[in-house]
Each structure stands twice: as C-alpha cells, then as structure tokens.
C-alpha cells in the first residue's frame, strides 16, 4: 500500500476474493479484496466485469460507511488477469466467462494449466477436446472472453481521461474497435458518447499527435459547434458566417482553412447546406431531415383527409350542444369546425378560454363518426391532466409511440410505432403543443397514417420547447393550415386572479397587485436573502395551517434559475431541511456534498429512462420520464437501492441510477412546462436578463391551478412583464412549409 501525495490518493494492490454486488450496465460493484499483506477490505466503485481471482491495482481513498464501516472508494484502477493455476481456476469458476462454471473450469485448468487463458482466446477448438464442451460452446466462450478483454483494454487506455463508467459507454457503442476509433479520430467521442465534450476529445487528439489544422480536428469542431447551438439555444441551423466564426474561435484556426471542410462534411452527408431566399442555412443532418419530413407529412395530411360536408359539420356541433346542454361560443364552434374539416388544425389560447371544452366535443363527435381518436401530450403530467379533464385516456407522446430505449447511450429514441408500423388512430389530438421539439414531432408524424387528422392545441405565449425547433409557432406562421386563436375568457374564469392576471401579463400590462383575489397574491420582500426562509415558512406552516394542504403534493416552488439564493439548488437545500429534516430514523444516500437524498424526499426524474420497471398495484410497466415527480419511500443501504413512488408508480432505483434524480421541492420554470400544481410559489429576484422575460413569468403563473403566490421584488416582476424579449431560434420548418406548399 502506498500514498501518492501529489494526487492525494492511496494506491493498493490486491486480489478479488468475493464479489458482493455488480451492475453490468454501469460497472458499479462492491467486492472484497485481499491486499499483499493479507488484509481483507471492501472496495466500492465502478470496476466493470470484475471477477473473483483477478488482481487489481486500485487508486482511491478510504471512506467510512455508517453501516459497513471502513471501505475503499475507487477512483481509477488497473486489472491484471491471474497467472497462477489456482487463481485462474477461481477466476473461471466464478462465472466470469459465459458458459464456464466450476466443473468446466476444473477440467480446463487441469488440461491446460497456466495456458488456459491463451487457449480460450486463441485456440477455442482445443477446448472441444474436453468432455462436455462442444465446438459451438467453445467458440461462444472464446467470444465472451475476448469481449471482456476488449473492455479491459479500453479501461486501461482511457484510465487517465475517463471514468470507468464512461469507458464502459465507449465499449458499449464501439465494442473492441473502441481504441482504434479513438486513436484515429477522438472527435467522434463528442458525437457518439454522452458526456464527452470537445475539449477533452481535443486533448486526446493532441496527445495522439493529430494535426492541429487537420481535417479530423476541424470537422469535429464544426459538428460540435452545430450541436452546441442546437442543444443550448434550440437552433435547427445557423448561418455559415456564424459557424465559421464560432469554429475559428474554438480551435484557433483561420476561417479560410475551416471553410472547405464545411463543404466536405456536406459531401459526406453529415451536414446539410440549404439556401433560402439568398441566405445559407447549415444544419446537422438529423435536424434537416426532421424539419423536412415534418413539412412533407403535414402537407400530406392536409391533402389526404376525407372531406366532410359543411352541413354535416354543423349538424354534429348542434347535436353535441344538445347532448351536453351547452352552447359553444363563436370561436369554439369555429375551432371544432376546422378540426372536423381539415387534416391539420391548430387551436391556441391561454387559461380559461375553453380549450378543454373543445377537446371533449371533438372526442364525442369523432366517436359518433366512427373515427378512432388518440389523445397525447409531451409530458406525463400534461397527459394525466388531459385524461382527468376529458375523462378519456391520454398518453405521453412517447408512450403512444411505444418508445423503447434502443441502447442506453444512443442520441435518439427507438419507437415501435413508425412508418412501417403505423398508429391505428384516425385522429391525434396533442395538448401542450408548444412543447413539441422537431424530433418528437417528426416521430409522431412518421407514425400517423395518411388521411388521419392532427389537432395541435397549445399556448403560443408560453416558453418554447426545451429541444430544438419551434414547431407550433412555425406551423402557425407558415399560414398553410387553419389556426384558431381563443381569446374570450369565460365567466367562471373571470373570477380567477390567475387567469385575469395572466391575460394582463400576456398583453404587456402590469396587473394591479393591490386588488384582492382569493387565488393571486404578491408578497413584497426587497431583500432577496430573506425570501428562502419566507418560502419555507409558507410551505411548512402558513399554507398547510390555513388551507389544509399537503406541502409535498399540493405546493410547488417554481423559480427562473438554478443559481443564487433563490435558485433551485439553494431552495431545495433549505426546503429539504424544513420539510424533510435529518433524522436517525431516515436513511440517507450522499450523491455529492451538495446533494443528499433521504427517505421522504420529493424528487424529479431528469431524463427519459425507458428501462425503469414500475409497479402500481397489480399493474406493471416500464418507463419513467423527464419531469416525473415522486417521493423517496425507502433507501436501502444494505442492498444499495432506493424505492421511489411516482404518483403510484413504484420504481426500484439502483444507487448508480440516482444520478438521474434531482430534488424537486423547487424546480425551474422550464422543468414545470406541461404541468399544473394546486399552489405555485414564485420568487421574484434579480437574475440573468435572458430569464427575466414576459413569457417566462406567464408560463410560471399559468402552472397554478388554485393559487399562485409571488414573493420578492415588485420591480423585478414589473420588468419581466414589460420585457417581451424572446430569444429568436433559427428554424426552417416555416420556410419548408411555405416553399413546399407553394409548389403544391
């Protein structure tokens, strides 16, 4: 055992004696190791495909677990295959190689001794000489052995740059070819492996001696810049000038040397160069393909829908009015008419304008017409709310399309419903349409059969989608399809301060904050450092005592930012201590110094995971999605898992999967999109100018069902209402639609 003062870590050599736990997906394991002095200790960390009998060089630190005591936490390691006959026997007997158990291992070692590994790898046919091993089985053993050897090689090659988990991702994507691919072109790491940025890939390239002005580096930088503008700003394309300037600054190479490689990437069909009205638009290929297909399919739906006689439409509406005992308003009737008569219809409007009434009428009429209707929304909470409001099953778009994981690390999502396996729905109604990005819209349209109707319902004044594009707005501005904007607030909604003030904000007027409402309150506090404790008091004491509400289920704090005193990070820490304080009776799991989960915590899933299995009573299913909110019911330190309840869907999380989870006492406005909560509390404090906008405060306020409480600086609130600045996204869907529609 040695201590490296320069790196502050301990170096230990030892042999694996027992594997207590192992996760093949991410490599995390718990094992007992005997060091060179004969001391046995427990090791935790990411050591993929660990097996009894292997020799390890471990680099890490000693930690103390409250249940298990002293443990060695691995930061990096090296694996060494055993060489002694007895150790080889233990390794093979452990099940490390598929098809080899203790009896077969004994026969192999007895016959081949210290050459056993060489025989398995290079002469598998010799194994078939042993009774009980067929030639086919011998070859399968050899393949499995070589695959694990490939993982070891990548782990060793990448040990100075990547964690074992990231190295395992590389192997899962490229297999045993990973090292060769990295050596030849490290920039492919940015494109193919989640979590690896250009800077790290560039360091590896320079160490490998790649030319600073060579094609691999320049082309890698070009595609990286395009991806950054897409993921960060929502652009589906950028101009050639911006691409050249940004790439030149990133890699410090002249624009003249970069320019030819843009054209070369286009020839290789990795990017698309499109000219619209004298301007050059440069796309990542997948973004171009998505926008082009969306435009083509929307226009196809417009052409192929079966026409309905207007007199029949009127009769259907009148019948629905009689059956429901109501009379639809003028714009509601028009929305229903357009949806019945057209292949694509857009219906927009804020809260209280009767969108749900229209959806219920359409479901009823389409059923009478003998048409099968599918309801969906981009998020789980939005689809759940749609189901409750219409008494008709609504699914997430992902569930409607039967999304599957593909591989854990791929960029896209695999959908069972697609062009070759179409949905059996004649009508698709999508709520919260403003949240559709180009890739989700593309997937939905690919699964729709020609002749089906698409009805998009949304609020164009809310924040745009998190992903690339601005689908709803582009469709509206194309003027290729009927758009009905609902602007009449109905009588029951006129009594709501939430609805009326949202309407005022949407029109750029500052609400009268002195007016008394039962559901809209502004608490003025100018010192922002006082706001978190006041919010905590509201959640813990005032609101529960006055209204009998549950602070976990009924109250949601929504804030513009993650940083600062009133950002999600600080608010979550404070609210956790007030609502779910530390106690000896509560188990905890420390993810980092700033993130500790404990029994009873309110948490949110932060990425789509189609592999998570859940159970709700006798019902079983798969998939927990970005934005789903749940409560930690149990943290099991012995077996290293947590149980989380997402509105009745109970999921078992291995500890290594908790990186997908964040505390959800406070969430950002962007994370709240598509959801509604009984009571919403919004801190009003100074933040980055891009976050203090009208559509952001409008989106936050309209998340509240029964009450909204704004707390903080009135001047900040007023500036947000007055600031109609919106970040303009470069999107081409509108241009595609107009050019294709004109050609038709």
């Amino acid at each position: 055992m040695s201590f490296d003062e320069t790196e502050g870590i301990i170096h230990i050599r030892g042999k694996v004696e027992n594997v207590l736990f192992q996760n093949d997906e991410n490599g995390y394991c718990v094992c007992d190791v005997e060091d060179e002095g004969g001391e046995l200790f427990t090791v935790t960390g990411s050591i993929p495909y660990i097996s009894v009998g292997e020799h390890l060089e471990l680099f890490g630190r000693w930690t103390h677990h409250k249940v298990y005591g002293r443990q060695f936490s691995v930061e990096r390691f090296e694996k060494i295959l055993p060489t002694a006959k007895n150790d080889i026997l233990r390794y093979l007997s452990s099940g490390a190689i598929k098809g080899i158990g203790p009896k077969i291992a004994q026969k192999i070692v007895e016959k081949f001794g210290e050459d056993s590994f060489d025989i398995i790898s290079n002469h598998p046919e010799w194994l078939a000489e042993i009774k009980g091993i067929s030639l086919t089985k011998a070859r399968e053993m050899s393949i499995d052995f070589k695959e694990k050897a490939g993982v070891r090689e990548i782990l060793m090659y990448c040990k100075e740059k990547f964690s074992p988990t990231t190295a395992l991702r590389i192997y899962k994507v490229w297999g045993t070819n990973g090292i060769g691919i990295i050596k030849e072109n490290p920039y492919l790491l940015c494109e193919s492996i989640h979590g690896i940025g250009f800077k790290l890939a560039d360091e590896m390239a320079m160490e490998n001696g790649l030319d600073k002005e060579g094609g691999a580096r320049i082309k890698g930088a070009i595609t990286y810049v395009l991806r950054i503008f897409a993921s960060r700003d929502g652009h589906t394309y950028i101009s050639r000038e911006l691409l050249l300037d940004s790439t030149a600054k990133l890699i410090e190479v002249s624009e003249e040397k970069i320019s030819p490689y843009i054209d070369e990437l286009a020839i290789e069909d990795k990017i698309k160069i499109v000219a619209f009205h004298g301007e050059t638009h440069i796309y990542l290929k997948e973004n171009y393909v998505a926008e082009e297909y969306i435009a083509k399919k929307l226009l196809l739906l417009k052409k192929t829908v079966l026409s309905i006689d207007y007199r029949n439409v009127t009769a259907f509406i009148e019948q629905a009015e009689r059956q429901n005992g109501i009379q639809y308003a003028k714009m509601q009737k028009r929305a229903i008419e357009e949806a019945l008569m057209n292949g694509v219809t857009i219906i927009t409007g804020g809260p209280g304008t009767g969108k749900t009434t229209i959806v219920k009428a359409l479901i009823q009429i389409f059923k009478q017409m003998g048409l099968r209707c599918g309801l969906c929304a981009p998020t789980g909470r939005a689809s759940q709310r749609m189901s409750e409001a219409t008494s008709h099953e609504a699914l997430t778009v992902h569930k409607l399309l039967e999304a599957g994981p593909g591989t854990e690390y791929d960029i896209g999502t695999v959908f069972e419903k697609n062009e070759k396996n179409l949905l059996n729905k004649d009508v698709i109604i999508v709520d919260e349409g403003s949240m559709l990005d180009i890739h989700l819209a593309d997937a939905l349209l690919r699964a729709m059969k020609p002749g089906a109707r698409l009805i998009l319902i949304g609020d164009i004044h809310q924040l745009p989608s998190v992903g690339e594009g601005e689908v709803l707005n582009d469709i509206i501005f194309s003027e290729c399809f009927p758009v009905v904007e609902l602007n009449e607030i109905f009588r029951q909604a006129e009594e709501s301060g939430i609805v009326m003030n949202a309407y005022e904000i949407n029109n750029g007027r500052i609400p009268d904050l002195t007016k008394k409402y039962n559901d809209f309150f502004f608490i003025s506090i100018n010192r922002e450092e006082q706001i978190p404790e006041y919010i905590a008091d509201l959640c813990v004491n005032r609101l529960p005592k006055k209204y009998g509400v549950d602070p976990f289920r009924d109250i949601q704090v929504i804030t513009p930012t993650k940083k600062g005193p009133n950002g999600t990070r600080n608010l979550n820490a404070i609210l956790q201590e007030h609502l779910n304080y530390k106690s000896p009776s509560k188990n905890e799991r420390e993810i980092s110094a700033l993130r500790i989960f404990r029994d009873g915590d309110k948490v949110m899933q932060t990425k789509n995971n189609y592999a998570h299995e859940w159970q709700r009573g006798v019902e079983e299913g798969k998939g927990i999605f970005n934005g789903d909110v749940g409560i930690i019911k149990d943290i099991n330190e012995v077996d290293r898992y947590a149980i989380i309840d997402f509105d009745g869907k109970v999921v078992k999380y291995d500890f290594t999967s908790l990186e997908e989870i964040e505390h959800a006492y406070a969430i950002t406005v962007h994370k709240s999109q598509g959801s509604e909560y009984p009571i919403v509390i919004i801190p009003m404090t100074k933040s980055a100018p891009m976050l203090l906008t009208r559509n952001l405060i409008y989106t936050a306020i309209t998340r509240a069902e029964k009450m909204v409480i704004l707390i903080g600086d009135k001047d900040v609130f007023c500036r947000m209402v007055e600031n109609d600045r919106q970040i303009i996204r470069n999107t081409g869907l509108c241009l595609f639609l107009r050019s294709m529609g004109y050609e038709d």
Side-chain angles (χ1 to χ4, degrees):
M1 185 183 299
S2 63
F3 181 78
D4 187 336
E5 293 185 358
T6 60
E7 296 189 48
I9 59 176
I10 296 168
H11 174 208
I12 302 176
R13 294 184 182 91
K15 182 172 64 177
V16 179
E17 292 295 325
N18 186 26
V19 178
L20 304 170
F21 172 82
Q22 187 162 211
N23 185 321
D24 288 341
E25 287 301 309
N26 54 34
Y28 183 84
C29 82
V30 181
C31 62
D32 289 333
V33 173
E34 183 182 306
D35 69 12
E36 294 172 317
E39 180 185 354
L40 193 68
F41 58 94
T42 300
V43 173
T44 66
S46 187
I47 313 177
Y49 301 134
I50 189 70
S51 297
V52 171
E54 283 188 303
H55 289 252
L56 301 175
E57 292 213 26
L58 304 170
F59 301 84
R61 293 176 172 83
W62 290 109
T63 61
H64 186 82
H65 191 279
K66 67 178 184 180
V67 176
Y68 301 106
R70 192 178 73 150
Q71 296 181 336
F72 191 78
S73 179
V74 173
E75 295 188 12
R76 68 179 192 270
F77 69 94
E78 292 184 15
K79 278 187 178 185
I80 305 166
L81 279 175
T83 56
K85 282 180 63 175
N86 190 50
D87 289 341
I88 293 172
L89 176 60
R90 293 186 66 208
Y91 176 85
L92 293 177
S93 298
S94 70
I97 307 302
K98 185 177 179 181
I100 301 180
K103 290 182 180 179
I104 295 293
Q106 183 73 41
K107 292 178 181 179
I108 292 173
V109 175
E110 283 179 358
K111 186 171 180 65
F112 300 110
E114 295 176 358
D115 295 326
S116 295
F117 290 148
D118 177 61
I119 301 303
I120 295 170
S121 179
N122 301 312
H123 305 286
E125 66 278 4
W126 294 3
L127 295 174
E129 298 173 5
I130 297 173
K131 187 177 180 180
I133 303 178
S134 66
L135 184 58
T136 299
K137 188 175 181 180
R139 287 171 176 163
E140 289 174 352
M141 294 173 182
S142 181
I143 290 170
D144 192 58
F145 182 81
K146 288 178 180 177
E147 284 182 352
K148 288 180 171 61
V151 174
R152 282 195 297 273
E153 289 175 9
I154 291 177
L155 285 168
M156 294 306 102
Y157 183 77
C158 299
K159 65 182 179 181
E160 300 299 329
K161 296 294 183 184
F162 308 129
S163 68
T165 302
T166 302
L168 188 59
R169 289 176 182 172
I170 294 170
Y171 176 77
K172 285 180 180 251
V173 173
W174 289 322
T176 54
N177 297 321
I179 294 177
I181 292 171
I182 294 170
K183 286 181 177 179
E184 184 178 347
N185 187 357
Y187 301 103
L188 294 175
L189 290 165
C190 304
E191 299 178 24
S192 305
I193 310 300
H194 175 70
I196 298 180
F198 181 85
K199 183 178 179 181
L200 187 53
D202 200 36
E203 286 178 7
M204 295 186 74
M206 296 301 99
E207 290 171 5
N208 289 348
L210 269 69
D211 185 357
K212 184 180 179 182
E213 297 186 351
R217 184 170 190 252
I218 293 174
K219 287 193 283 188
I222 291 168
T223 55
Y224 176 76
V225 167
L226 286 170
R227 291 189 192 285
I228 285 296
F229 275 104
S231 61
R232 185 190 64 195
D233 301 325
H235 298 316
T236 61
Y237 72 84
I238 59 176
S239 67
R240 190 181 187 102
E241 292 74 22
L242 179 58
L243 179 57
L244 283 168
D245 179 65
S246 300
T247 306
K249 288 177 180 175
L250 175 67
I251 59 176
E252 297 180 341
V253 174
S254 70
E255 293 184 12
E256 291 75 16
K257 290 184 178 177
I258 293 170
S259 187
Y261 289 105
I262 294 177
D263 301 309
E264 192 171 312
L265 282 167
I267 293 169
E268 294 171 359
D269 202 30
K270 293 182 178 178
I271 66 173
K272 290 287 184 179
I273 302 175
V274 184
F276 270 125
H277 308 303
E279 295 183 358
T280 301
H281 299 173
I282 301 181
Y283 283 84
L284 287 168
K285 182 184 176 182
E286 59 263 30
N287 290 349
Y288 172 86
V289 169
E291 283 198 332
E292 183 187 45
Y293 184 86
I294 292 168
K296 286 180 178 178
K297 190 61 173 280
L298 288 172
L299 293 169
L300 178 65
L301 294 177
K302 178 180 179 179
K303 282 182 184 178
T304 56
V305 69
L306 293 174
S307 60
I308 302 176
D309 190 293
Y310 182 76
R311 290 170 294 182
N312 292 335
V313 170
T314 303
F316 277 125
I317 294 174
E318 291 173 351
Q319 183 180 359
E321 287 179 324
R322 289 193 300 271
Q323 290 174 338
N324 298 318
I326 61 174
Q327 186 171 358
Y328 301 120
K330 179 181 176 182
M331 294 307 291
Q332 286 181 315
K333 282 185 179 179
R334 188 187 154 202
I336 297 169
E337 289 170 359
E338 297 289 4
L340 293 175
M341 295 177 66
N342 293 282
V344 178
T345 306
I346 298 90
I347 301 169
T348 73
T353 56
K355 296 191 295 292
T356 299
T357 301
I358 292 169
V359 174
K360 291 168 75 173
L362 288 172
I363 294 169
Q364 185 177 347
I365 293 170
F366 284 131
K367 186 176 181 180
Q368 291 170 355
M369 292 171 63
L371 300 179
R372 290 163 296 192
C373 190
L375 274 61
C376 61
T379 68
R381 293 184 74 96
S383 63
Q384 182 181 348
R385 193 177 71 249
M386 196 180 189
S387 294
E388 293 167 353
T390 63
S391 300
H392 187 90
E393 183 186 43
L395 306 173
T396 62
V397 178
H398 287 84
K399 190 168 184 180
L400 178 71
L401 299 178
E402 298 177 17
T407 61
E408 184 181 355
Y409 307 110
D410 63 2
I411 294 171
T413 301
V414 177
F415 295 101
E416 292 296 321
K417 294 298 181 182
N418 49 47
E419 289 167 294
K420 296 180 180 179
N421 183 24
L422 297 171
L423 291 164
N424 66 344
K425 304 297 183 184
D426 305 297
V427 183
I428 299 293
I429 302 176
V430 184
D431 196 14
E432 296 289 351
S434 62
M435 294 184 68
L436 283 177
D437 62 38
I438 57 170
H439 298 296
L440 193 55
D442 172 56
L444 177 62
L445 286 163
R446 286 182 188 276
M448 287 184 66
K449 61 185 181 182
R453 289 172 172 80
L454 175 65
I455 301 162
L456 295 173
I457 299 172
D459 187 343
I460 59 173
H461 302 293
Q462 290 185 19
L463 293 170
S465 62
V466 176
E468 299 99 312
E470 207 157 9
V471 174
L472 186 66
N473 278 2
D474 277 354
I475 294 173
I476 292 170
F477 294 140
S478 74
E479 300 180 340
C480 293
F481 311 98
V483 178
V484 181
E485 184 171 1
L486 306 171
N487 47 30
E488 179 183 352
I489 299 176
F490 290 95
R491 184 176 300 172
Q492 63 270 28
E494 288 180 348
E495 300 174 1
S496 167
I498 296 172
V499 172
M500 297 309 297
N501 288 327
Y503 183 80
E504 291 291 289
I505 290 168
N506 193 28
N507 286 279
R509 296 189 290 266
I510 297 171
D512 181 359
L513 299 179
T514 64
K515 191 172 182 179
K516 301 298 181 182
Y517 288 102
N518 292 323
D519 63 348
F520 189 97
F521 303 93
F522 195 104
I523 300 171
S524 182
I525 297 179
N526 291 327
R527 294 181 61 182
E528 66 175 24
E529 66 273 13
Q530 295 177 344
I531 295 174
E533 288 298 330
Y534 200 104
I535 289 175
D537 188 41
L538 283 171
C539 294
V540 177
N541 300 310
R542 298 192 183 194
L543 293 172
K545 287 179 181 177
K546 185 169 184 178
Y547 299 102
V549 296
D550 181 339
F552 286 83
R553 185 183 65 248
D554 300 322
I555 302 172
Q556 184 60 61
V557 178
I558 299 177
T559 180
T561 182
K562 292 181 179 180
K563 301 176 182 178
N566 292 286
T568 55
R569 292 169 186 164
N570 188 54
L571 287 174
N572 271 316
I574 290 173
L575 290 170
Q576 181 191 37
E577 286 308 306
H578 281 79
L579 290 167
N580 192 32
Y581 50 84
K582 187 179 181 68
S583 165
S585 64
K586 297 175 184 177
N587 292 324
E588 292 187 350
R589 176 63 181 175
E590 183 176 342
I591 304 300
S592 67
L594 300 175
R595 193 156 56 122
I596 299 172
F597 292 125
R598 66 174 61 111
D599 292 345
D601 268 342
K602 182 178 181 179
V603 293
M604 174 182 279
Q605 175 79 11
T606 60
K607 70 178 214 178
N608 293 336
N609 189 316
Y610 308 96
H612 278 323
E613 297 178 349
W614 54 261
Q615 189 165 0
R616 181 165 50 194
V618 296
E619 183 186 2
E620 295 180 347
K622 281 188 176 184
I624 297 296
F625 303 107
N626 186 8
D628 287 351
V629 174
I631 301 294
I632 296 178
K633 293 300 183 181
D634 180 42
I635 294 175
N636 190 314
E637 285 284 355
V638 176
D639 296 320
R640 298 177 179 269
Y641 66 79
I643 299 294
I644 305 178
D645 186 336
F646 294 93
D647 289 329
K649 292 181 178 179
V650 179
V651 184
K652 183 177 179 180
Y653 278 73
D654 179 83
F655 276 175
T656 54
S657 297
L658 290 178
E659 63 185 22
E660 302 173 5
I661 297 295
E662 290 180 355
H663 287 105
Y665 300 101
I667 62 175
T668 62
V669 180
H670 285 86
K671 284 291 185 183
S672 75
Q673 282 180 269
S675 299
E676 284 188 355
Y677 311 91
I679 299 174
V680 168
I681 300 173
I682 310 169
M684 289 282 96
T685 59
K686 295 175 183 177
S687 186
M690 68 181 66
L691 296 174
L692 300 180
T693 63
R694 183 186 302 170
N695 65 345
L696 189 137
I697 188 61
Y698 173 81
T699 301
I701 286 172
T702 54
R703 300 307 90 205
E705 295 174 315
K706 298 178 181 178
M707 183 185 299
V708 64
I709 301 170
L710 296 104
I711 176 169
D713 191 334
K714 286 185 180 179
D715 289 340
V716 171
F717 174 70
C718 293
R719 286 201 300 273
M720 292 182 79
V721 175
E722 292 168 348
N723 181 11
D724 196 26
R725 176 180 175 269
Q726 296 184 34
I727 296 175
I728 303 300
R729 293 186 171 188
N730 294 336
T731 61
L733 178 56
C734 180
L735 297 171
F736 276 120
L737 284 167
R738 286 181 176 177
S739 62
M740 292 177 187
Y742 180 77
E743 291 170 5
D744 290 342

